[in-house]
Amino acid sequence: MIYRNDGNALVLDLVPDSALRILDVGCGAGDNAARLKGVRKDRYVIGLTHNASEASIARAHCDGVHVLDLTSSQLSGFGEP
């Protein structure tokens, strides 16, 4: 199942306008990244998701996407986007 929406307004409202480097944990298909970069093109957004299908969609919006399960993955050395 692919997680899509129009961006999570509650979360997006917490991101200061000055934020340029953003980690989107649970990025789904990259909808928050699309909204964040729509406001400021100079933002650098990395997404984390557990779903390879979501990651392939999110890559269109994120500067990098990592596929991992945070409940079982080692966070050190998990590779490049």
Side-chain angles (χ1 to χ4, degrees):
M1 181 164 148
I2 305 294
Y3 180 74
R4 303 270 348 217
N5 60 29
D6 291 325
N8 185 327
L10 293 173
V11 171
L12 293 169
D13 287 345
L14 296 173
V15 179
D17 290 335
S18 60
L20 296 179
R21 298 179 64 80
I22 299 163
L23 176 64
D24 186 354
V25 177
C27 70
D31 301 304
N32 283 340
R35 297 271 309 269
L36 288 164
K37 290 175 98 54
V39 173
R40 289 200 57 177
K41 304 273 188 242
D42 58 342
R43 285 182 162 155
Y44 184 82
V45 181
I46 295 293
L48 300 180
T49 183
H50 69 281
N51 183 310
S53 297
E54 287 178 347
S56 67
I57 298 167
R59 285 187 179 98
H61 308 292
C62 296
D63 296 289
V65 179
H66 297 279
V67 178
L68 65 139
D69 180 350
L70 292 175
T71 61
S72 64
S73 293
Q74 296 287 331
L75 292 181
S76 61
F78 61 88
E80 294 298 315

